[in-house]
Amino acid sequence: MELKVVETPKEQGGCSASSCGGSADQLAHLPEAIREKVKNHPCYSEQAHHHYARMHVAVAPACNIQCHYCNRKYDCANESRPGVVSELLTPEQAVKKTLAVAANIPQMTVLGIAGPGDPLANPERTLATFRALSEQAPDIKLCVSTNGLALPELVDELCQHNIDHVTITINCVDPDVGAKIYPWIFWQGRRIRGRKAAEILIAQQQKGLEMLTARGVLVKVNSVMIPGVNDEHLKEVSKVVKAKGAFLHNVMPLIAEAEHGTFYGVMGQRSPDAAELQALQDACAGDMNMMRHCRQCRADAVGMLGEDRGDEFTLEKIEAMEIDYAAAMERRAEVHARIEAERAEQERAKASGGNVAFVSLDSLRARPQTPKALIAVSTQGGGVVNQHFGHAREFLVYEASANGVRFIGPRRVDAYCSGDDTCGEAETTLQRTIKVLEGCAGVLSAKIGLPPWEALEAVGIQPSGEYAWEPIEEAVAAFYQELLKGGHLDQRDERTREVA
Ligand code: CLF
Ligand code: SF4
């Protein structure tokens, strides 16, 4: 039997990066120089995030604006999930930490500064960190995330330090919308409130975006989706920032919990659910390359996206480490070469029919009624199905259809399994996991125990351990066809109709 993963046809909105984040062709339309810049950046390339890690250093405590979704005690919601930063670092400490992580996690390719306040409201600390790192660790890409208020005045300095990835959080291009998100900004020594504040912020963001793209810097725009406030408006934001040269748009869900003490949290502003987020991302995708794999990292996150190894690199632990960065550079180069060889091998296998035997999705195109299906995957990186169901802290969700396989986004869960074959012991957590998988037709893991298997089947989610170590997209496509052939998707449809 022949393997073939069919790409989303261009006439349906196009694959590019917009709707087919997991495709090998995601970057194919870009000039070589840009492909080179993003190919191992875990945030700018969905493919790369399976293989490479990032880290943040929390050197920037102050902020120059107030967002209604932020409480200063917590990480910047622009780039992080709420949670206090464990340690605020000086630039010297940040450099030491970065070198230690680079030596111990050779897949770490990107150092970002994303808070806990706004990096550009702390320009001395932020730029001192970048300056030292561009000298001492030239193989690490430097990345910064900002609300944009202070950006235009700092663009030239950022460019001098080789920072060619900048994220601007742009939640609106209309000051009336902005006035509902930002109660005030601190601008030219004065606190400015209301619509005027939003007007200044928007103008600075747009000017900064234009200046950066004019200098060839890759700009990603993050937007927080706030239902009833800017959700509809973000389609317009997407159009505007694309027209000004932004490379990628990352629409993230609002995180608003009362216990975080944010204005929105306390006021009961709701967050969007997974379906609403996906619908908006799809609507924006017609105009923009969309990022769908964001994990809303902490401002001191360390490791692969979705994992946090910060505890291994506290100041105390780093002090005790002996770091030979010259030797680490060699090891890093070896590891990166090995990863690239593996990626190339995966691409070759895909192009030549792949490792998983199944019939071509082409045959399904003639069946317009073929249903779409969401399939969740547990993985710990490498682009393959390689994690035990009970160990998964998150699932990557893919949509399979006659048009191919596309990445939809991650869904986070708590791990409930403490050993290899103990799945199902903590039923309440299993039930929570099942809730997170709501809407999925199946789930692929490297291994799964009988109790969760039965619990999943009972709610119409078909588990499988048959695709362990297979490349994710190929496995999803093969599993999708298995579900179709077995009538599972039709039965699901009927069950859903009955429930409705
Ligand atoms: Fe950090 Fe942001 Fe750079 Fe990435 S994170 S500064 S671009 S290195 Fe990435 Fe984390 Fe999402 Fe940010 S997953 S929150 S998009
Ligand atoms: Fe908080 Fe970041 Fe907004 Fe500043 S820019 S108020 S740190 S979310």
Side-chain angles (χ1 to χ4, degrees), residues 9 21 81 88 134 166 185 210 215 232 260 270 298 388 393 396 412 431 435 463 473 491 498:
R81 66 173 185 261
L88 190 65
S134 58
V166 175
I185 65 168
E210 286 168 14
R215 287 160 178 75
E232 278 303 309
H260 297 150
R270 75 174 182 91
R298 290 170 59 96
H388 191 292
R393 288 180 178 278
L396 300 188
R412 292 190 63 83
Q431 291 310 325
K435 201 160 172 231
E473 289 168 47
Q491 285 163 19
E498 276 164 26

PDB file of all heavy atoms in Angstrom, residues 9 21 81 88 134 166 185 210 215 232 260 270 298 388 393 396 412 431 435 463 473 491 498:
ATOM      1  N   PRO A   9      -4.978  21.958  -0.520  1.00  0.00           N
ATOM      2  CA  PRO A   9      -4.868  22.593  -1.824  1.00  0.00           C
ATOM      3  C   PRO A   9      -4.838  24.108  -1.711  1.00  0.00           C
ATOM      4  O   PRO A   9      -5.508  24.669  -0.857  1.00  0.00           O
ATOM      5  CB  PRO A   9      -6.143  22.137  -2.553  1.00  0.00           C
ATOM      6  CG  PRO A   9      -6.842  21.200  -1.662  1.00  0.00           C
ATOM      7  CD  PRO A   9      -6.229  21.254  -0.323  1.00  0.00           C
ATOM      8  N   GLY A  21       0.309  24.312   9.452  1.00  0.00           N
ATOM      9  CA  GLY A  21       1.509  24.588  10.221  1.00  0.00           C
ATOM     10  C   GLY A  21       2.490  23.443  10.265  1.00  0.00           C
ATOM     11  O   GLY A  21       3.692  23.647  10.385  1.00  0.00           O
ATOM     12  N   ARG A  81       2.174  32.249  30.600  1.00  0.00           N
ATOM     13  CA  ARG A  81       0.987  31.946  31.388  1.00  0.00           C
ATOM     14  C   ARG A  81       1.200  32.576  32.767  1.00  0.00           C
ATOM     15  O   ARG A  81       2.333  32.772  33.209  1.00  0.00           O
ATOM     16  CB  ARG A  81       0.800  30.443  31.486  1.00  0.00           C
ATOM     17  CG  ARG A  81       1.905  29.771  32.272  1.00  0.00           C
ATOM     18  CD  ARG A  81       1.601  28.306  32.499  1.00  0.00           C
ATOM     19  NE  ARG A  81       2.638  27.760  33.346  1.00  0.00           N
ATOM     20  CZ  ARG A  81       3.670  27.082  32.885  1.00  0.00           C
ATOM     21  NH1 ARG A  81       3.808  26.870  31.610  1.00  0.00           N
ATOM     22  NH2 ARG A  81       4.588  26.617  33.722  1.00  0.00           N
ATOM     23  N   LEU A  88      14.277  36.940  39.540  1.00  0.00           N
ATOM     24  CA  LEU A  88      14.585  38.054  38.651  1.00  0.00           C
ATOM     25  C   LEU A  88      16.106  38.102  38.532  1.00  0.00           C
ATOM     26  O   LEU A  88      16.812  37.971  39.525  1.00  0.00           O
ATOM     27  CB  LEU A  88      14.048  39.334  39.288  1.00  0.00           C
ATOM     28  CG  LEU A  88      14.073  40.559  38.399  1.00  0.00           C
ATOM     29  CD1 LEU A  88      13.124  40.380  37.211  1.00  0.00           C
ATOM     30  CD2 LEU A  88      13.655  41.786  39.196  1.00  0.00           C
ATOM     31  N   SER A 134      25.530  38.295  22.467  1.00  0.00           N
ATOM     32  CA  SER A 134      25.927  38.250  21.057  1.00  0.00           C
ATOM     33  C   SER A 134      27.444  38.101  20.946  1.00  0.00           C
ATOM     34  O   SER A 134      27.942  37.538  19.979  1.00  0.00           O
ATOM     35  CB  SER A 134      25.410  39.460  20.281  1.00  0.00           C
ATOM     36  OG  SER A 134      25.869  40.637  20.855  1.00  0.00           O
ATOM     37  N   VAL A 166      11.572  39.846  16.481  1.00  0.00           N
ATOM     38  CA  VAL A 166      10.904  40.707  17.467  1.00  0.00           C
ATOM     39  C   VAL A 166       9.406  40.382  17.467  1.00  0.00           C
ATOM     40  O   VAL A 166       8.789  40.270  16.405  1.00  0.00           O
ATOM     41  CB  VAL A 166      11.111  42.209  17.141  1.00  0.00           C
ATOM     42  CG1 VAL A 166      10.308  43.087  18.110  1.00  0.00           C
ATOM     43  CG2 VAL A 166      12.598  42.577  17.221  1.00  0.00           C
ATOM     44  N   ILE A 185      -1.236  54.229  29.955  1.00  0.00           N
ATOM     45  CA  ILE A 185       0.168  54.022  29.557  1.00  0.00           C
ATOM     46  C   ILE A 185       0.997  55.086  30.266  1.00  0.00           C
ATOM     47  O   ILE A 185       0.465  56.119  30.692  1.00  0.00           O
ATOM     48  CB  ILE A 185       0.369  54.139  28.027  1.00  0.00           C
ATOM     49  CG1 ILE A 185       0.067  55.571  27.543  1.00  0.00           C
ATOM     50  CG2 ILE A 185      -0.506  53.141  27.278  1.00  0.00           C
ATOM     51  CD1 ILE A 185       0.505  55.844  26.115  1.00  0.00           C
ATOM     52  N   GLU A 210       6.657  48.895  11.238  1.00  0.00           N
ATOM     53  CA  GLU A 210       7.143  49.352   9.923  1.00  0.00           C
ATOM     54  C   GLU A 210       8.664  49.512   9.918  1.00  0.00           C
ATOM     55  O   GLU A 210       9.348  49.119   8.969  1.00  0.00           O
ATOM     56  CB  GLU A 210       6.498  50.695   9.559  1.00  0.00           C
ATOM     57  CG  GLU A 210       5.044  50.565   9.141  1.00  0.00           C
ATOM     58  CD  GLU A 210       4.337  51.919   9.078  1.00  0.00           C
ATOM     59  OE1 GLU A 210       5.009  52.965   9.092  1.00  0.00           O
ATOM     60  OE2 GLU A 210       3.099  51.911   9.029  1.00  0.00           O
ATOM     61  N   ARG A 215      13.885  47.158   7.991  1.00  0.00           N
ATOM     62  CA  ARG A 215      15.282  46.779   8.233  1.00  0.00           C
ATOM     63  C   ARG A 215      15.496  45.274   8.098  1.00  0.00           C
ATOM     64  O   ARG A 215      16.556  44.753   8.478  1.00  0.00           O
ATOM     65  CB  ARG A 215      15.707  47.252   9.625  1.00  0.00           C
ATOM     66  CG  ARG A 215      15.909  48.769   9.704  1.00  0.00           C
ATOM     67  CD  ARG A 215      15.845  49.265  11.142  1.00  0.00           C
ATOM     68  NE  ARG A 215      16.083  50.698  11.241  1.00  0.00           N
ATOM     69  CZ  ARG A 215      15.205  51.650  10.915  1.00  0.00           C
ATOM     70  NH1 ARG A 215      14.025  51.304  10.421  1.00  0.00           N
ATOM     71  NH2 ARG A 215      15.511  52.916  11.051  1.00  0.00           N
ATOM     72  N   GLU A 232     -13.697  39.896  17.162  1.00  0.00           N
ATOM     73  CA  GLU A 232     -14.027  40.202  15.756  1.00  0.00           C
ATOM     74  C   GLU A 232     -12.976  41.137  15.142  1.00  0.00           C
ATOM     75  O   GLU A 232     -12.564  40.986  13.996  1.00  0.00           O
ATOM     76  CB  GLU A 232     -15.405  40.862  15.674  1.00  0.00           C
ATOM     77  CG  GLU A 232     -16.558  39.879  15.707  1.00  0.00           C
ATOM     78  CD  GLU A 232     -16.455  38.847  14.590  1.00  0.00           C
ATOM     79  OE1 GLU A 232     -16.280  39.252  13.428  1.00  0.00           O
ATOM     80  OE2 GLU A 232     -16.515  37.635  14.888  1.00  0.00           O
ATOM     81  N   HIS A 260      -5.823  35.328  39.898  1.00  0.00           N
ATOM     82  CA  HIS A 260      -4.630  36.060  39.458  1.00  0.00           C
ATOM     83  C   HIS A 260      -4.744  37.550  39.765  1.00  0.00           C
ATOM     84  O   HIS A 260      -3.778  38.293  39.614  1.00  0.00           O
ATOM     85  CB  HIS A 260      -4.401  35.874  37.955  1.00  0.00           C
ATOM     86  CG  HIS A 260      -4.138  34.453  37.568  1.00  0.00           C
ATOM     87  ND1 HIS A 260      -4.482  33.937  36.346  1.00  0.00           N
ATOM     88  CD2 HIS A 260      -3.579  33.438  38.262  1.00  0.00           C
ATOM     89  CE1 HIS A 260      -4.140  32.653  36.307  1.00  0.00           C
ATOM     90  NE2 HIS A 260      -3.595  32.337  37.455  1.00  0.00           N
ATOM     91  N   ARG A 270     -14.726  36.309  30.337  1.00  0.00           N
ATOM     92  CA  ARG A 270     -14.445  34.915  30.011  1.00  0.00           C
ATOM     93  C   ARG A 270     -13.326  34.798  28.986  1.00  0.00           C
ATOM     94  O   ARG A 270     -13.054  35.737  28.222  1.00  0.00           O
ATOM     95  CB  ARG A 270     -15.708  34.201  29.532  1.00  0.00           C
ATOM     96  CG  ARG A 270     -16.150  34.549  28.140  1.00  0.00           C
ATOM     97  CD  ARG A 270     -17.317  33.677  27.704  1.00  0.00           C
ATOM     98  NE  ARG A 270     -17.695  33.991  26.322  1.00  0.00           N
ATOM     99  CZ  ARG A 270     -17.195  33.371  25.269  1.00  0.00           C
ATOM    100  NH1 ARG A 270     -16.308  32.409  25.421  1.00  0.00           N
ATOM    101  NH2 ARG A 270     -17.582  33.710  24.044  1.00  0.00           N
ATOM    102  N   ARG A 298       6.100  31.061  30.340  1.00  0.00           N
ATOM    103  CA  ARG A 298       6.518  31.958  31.422  1.00  0.00           C
ATOM    104  C   ARG A 298       7.685  32.825  30.947  1.00  0.00           C
ATOM    105  O   ARG A 298       8.386  32.470  30.004  1.00  0.00           O
ATOM    106  CB  ARG A 298       7.025  31.128  32.605  1.00  0.00           C
ATOM    107  CG  ARG A 298       5.985  30.357  33.356  1.00  0.00           C
ATOM    108  CD  ARG A 298       6.689  29.416  34.326  1.00  0.00           C
ATOM    109  NE  ARG A 298       7.537  30.143  35.265  1.00  0.00           N
ATOM    110  CZ  ARG A 298       7.164  30.508  36.493  1.00  0.00           C
ATOM    111  NH1 ARG A 298       5.950  30.204  36.924  1.00  0.00           N
ATOM    112  NH2 ARG A 298       7.974  31.156  37.300  1.00  0.00           N
ATOM    113  N   HIS A 388       4.001   8.062  26.325  1.00  0.00           N
ATOM    114  CA  HIS A 388       2.978   7.252  26.993  1.00  0.00           C
ATOM    115  C   HIS A 388       1.774   8.157  27.281  1.00  0.00           C
ATOM    116  O   HIS A 388       1.948   9.291  27.737  1.00  0.00           O
ATOM    117  CB  HIS A 388       3.601   6.739  28.296  1.00  0.00           C
ATOM    118  CG  HIS A 388       2.811   5.698  29.003  1.00  0.00           C
ATOM    119  ND1 HIS A 388       1.597   5.960  29.585  1.00  0.00           N
ATOM    120  CD2 HIS A 388       3.054   4.387  29.228  1.00  0.00           C
ATOM    121  CE1 HIS A 388       1.135   4.857  30.147  1.00  0.00           C
ATOM    122  NE2 HIS A 388       2.013   3.883  29.941  1.00  0.00           N
ATOM    123  N   ARG A 393       1.571  15.735  29.326  1.00  0.00           N
ATOM    124  CA  ARG A 393       1.124  16.978  29.971  1.00  0.00           C
ATOM    125  C   ARG A 393       0.370  17.839  28.960  1.00  0.00           C
ATOM    126  O   ARG A 393      -0.256  18.822  29.316  1.00  0.00           O
ATOM    127  CB  ARG A 393       2.312  17.760  30.507  1.00  0.00           C
ATOM    128  CG  ARG A 393       2.914  17.105  31.718  1.00  0.00           C
ATOM    129  CD  ARG A 393       4.090  17.876  32.258  1.00  0.00           C
ATOM    130  NE  ARG A 393       4.593  17.210  33.441  1.00  0.00           N
ATOM    131  CZ  ARG A 393       4.071  17.356  34.656  1.00  0.00           C
ATOM    132  NH1 ARG A 393       3.052  18.161  34.825  1.00  0.00           N
ATOM    133  NH2 ARG A 393       4.562  16.709  35.679  1.00  0.00           N
ATOM    134  N   LEU A 396      -0.909  17.348  21.168  1.00  0.00           N
ATOM    135  CA  LEU A 396      -0.953  18.164  19.961  1.00  0.00           C
ATOM    136  C   LEU A 396      -2.152  17.681  19.159  1.00  0.00           C
ATOM    137  O   LEU A 396      -2.296  16.481  18.907  1.00  0.00           O
ATOM    138  CB  LEU A 396       0.331  17.996  19.142  1.00  0.00           C
ATOM    139  CG  LEU A 396       1.631  18.390  19.849  1.00  0.00           C
ATOM    140  CD1 LEU A 396       2.800  18.360  18.866  1.00  0.00           C
ATOM    141  CD2 LEU A 396       1.524  19.770  20.498  1.00  0.00           C
ATOM    142  N   ARG A 412      -3.428  21.488  26.881  1.00  0.00           N
ATOM    143  CA  ARG A 412      -2.676  21.106  28.076  1.00  0.00           C
ATOM    144  C   ARG A 412      -3.518  20.261  29.023  1.00  0.00           C
ATOM    145  O   ARG A 412      -4.701  20.492  29.193  1.00  0.00           O
ATOM    146  CB  ARG A 412      -2.214  22.350  28.825  1.00  0.00           C
ATOM    147  CG  ARG A 412      -1.177  23.142  28.081  1.00  0.00           C
ATOM    148  CD  ARG A 412      -0.591  24.207  28.967  1.00  0.00           C
ATOM    149  NE  ARG A 412       0.103  23.617  30.094  1.00  0.00           N
ATOM    150  CZ  ARG A 412       1.355  23.172  30.041  1.00  0.00           C
ATOM    151  NH1 ARG A 412       2.036  23.246  28.919  1.00  0.00           N
ATOM    152  NH2 ARG A 412       1.932  22.651  31.107  1.00  0.00           N
ATOM    153  N   GLN A 431     -10.392  11.768  34.045  1.00  0.00           N
ATOM    154  CA  GLN A 431     -11.609  12.404  33.537  1.00  0.00           C
ATOM    155  C   GLN A 431     -11.309  13.813  33.027  1.00  0.00           C
ATOM    156  O   GLN A 431     -11.852  14.252  32.017  1.00  0.00           O
ATOM    157  CB  GLN A 431     -12.699  12.454  34.624  1.00  0.00           C
ATOM    158  CG  GLN A 431     -13.272  11.087  34.997  1.00  0.00           C
ATOM    159  CD  GLN A 431     -13.708  10.276  33.780  1.00  0.00           C
ATOM    160  OE1 GLN A 431     -14.184  10.816  32.795  1.00  0.00           O
ATOM    161  NE2 GLN A 431     -13.520   8.962  33.848  1.00  0.00           N
ATOM    162  N   LYS A 435     -11.751  15.294  29.239  1.00  0.00           N
ATOM    163  CA  LYS A 435     -12.444  16.559  28.945  1.00  0.00           C
ATOM    164  C   LYS A 435     -11.599  17.425  27.997  1.00  0.00           C
ATOM    165  O   LYS A 435     -12.118  18.043  27.059  1.00  0.00           O
ATOM    166  CB  LYS A 435     -12.710  17.303  30.255  1.00  0.00           C
ATOM    167  CG  LYS A 435     -13.792  18.308  30.139  1.00  0.00           C
ATOM    168  CD  LYS A 435     -14.372  18.680  31.485  1.00  0.00           C
ATOM    169  CE  LYS A 435     -15.316  19.850  31.279  1.00  0.00           C
ATOM    170  NZ  LYS A 435     -15.056  20.935  32.180  1.00  0.00           N
ATOM    171  N   PRO A 463      -8.535   5.240  21.088  1.00  0.00           N
ATOM    172  CA  PRO A 463      -7.096   5.326  21.332  1.00  0.00           C
ATOM    173  C   PRO A 463      -6.330   4.365  20.427  1.00  0.00           C
ATOM    174  O   PRO A 463      -6.893   3.404  19.904  1.00  0.00           O
ATOM    175  CB  PRO A 463      -6.956   4.883  22.788  1.00  0.00           C
ATOM    176  CG  PRO A 463      -8.222   4.197  23.147  1.00  0.00           C
ATOM    177  CD  PRO A 463      -9.224   4.377  22.055  1.00  0.00           C
ATOM    178  N   GLU A 473       2.571  13.398  11.416  1.00  0.00           N
ATOM    179  CA  GLU A 473       1.561  13.663  10.379  1.00  0.00           C
ATOM    180  C   GLU A 473       1.202  12.401   9.599  1.00  0.00           C
ATOM    181  O   GLU A 473       0.038  12.182   9.242  1.00  0.00           O
ATOM    182  CB  GLU A 473       2.056  14.729   9.424  1.00  0.00           C
ATOM    183  CG  GLU A 473       2.094  16.102  10.059  1.00  0.00           C
ATOM    184  CD  GLU A 473       2.860  17.083   9.202  1.00  0.00           C
ATOM    185  OE1 GLU A 473       2.609  17.108   7.988  1.00  0.00           O
ATOM    186  OE2 GLU A 473       3.704  17.791   9.748  1.00  0.00           O
ATOM    187  N   GLN A 491     -20.017   6.390  13.076  1.00  0.00           N
ATOM    188  CA  GLN A 491     -20.679   6.089  14.360  1.00  0.00           C
ATOM    189  C   GLN A 491     -20.632   7.302  15.277  1.00  0.00           C
ATOM    190  O   GLN A 491     -21.564   7.619  15.985  1.00  0.00           O
ATOM    191  CB  GLN A 491     -19.976   4.924  15.056  1.00  0.00           C
ATOM    192  CG  GLN A 491     -20.269   3.578  14.443  1.00  0.00           C
ATOM    193  CD  GLN A 491     -19.246   2.537  14.882  1.00  0.00           C
ATOM    194  OE1 GLN A 491     -18.558   2.726  15.878  1.00  0.00           O
ATOM    195  NE2 GLN A 491     -19.137   1.464  14.124  1.00  0.00           N
ATOM    196  N   GLU A 498     -27.292  11.907  18.250  1.00  0.00           N
ATOM    197  CA  GLU A 498     -28.181  11.434  19.320  1.00  0.00           C
ATOM    198  C   GLU A 498     -28.091  12.348  20.534  1.00  0.00           C
ATOM    199  O   GLU A 498     -29.079  12.737  21.120  1.00  0.00           O
ATOM    200  CB  GLU A 498     -27.788  10.008  19.747  1.00  0.00           C
ATOM    201  CG  GLU A 498     -28.399   8.934  18.853  1.00  0.00           C
ATOM    202  CD  GLU A 498     -27.693   7.612  19.049  1.00  0.00           C
ATOM    203  OE1 GLU A 498     -27.138   7.384  20.133  1.00  0.00           O
ATOM    204  OE2 GLU A 498     -27.687   6.814  18.089  1.00  0.00           O
TER     205      GLU A 498
END
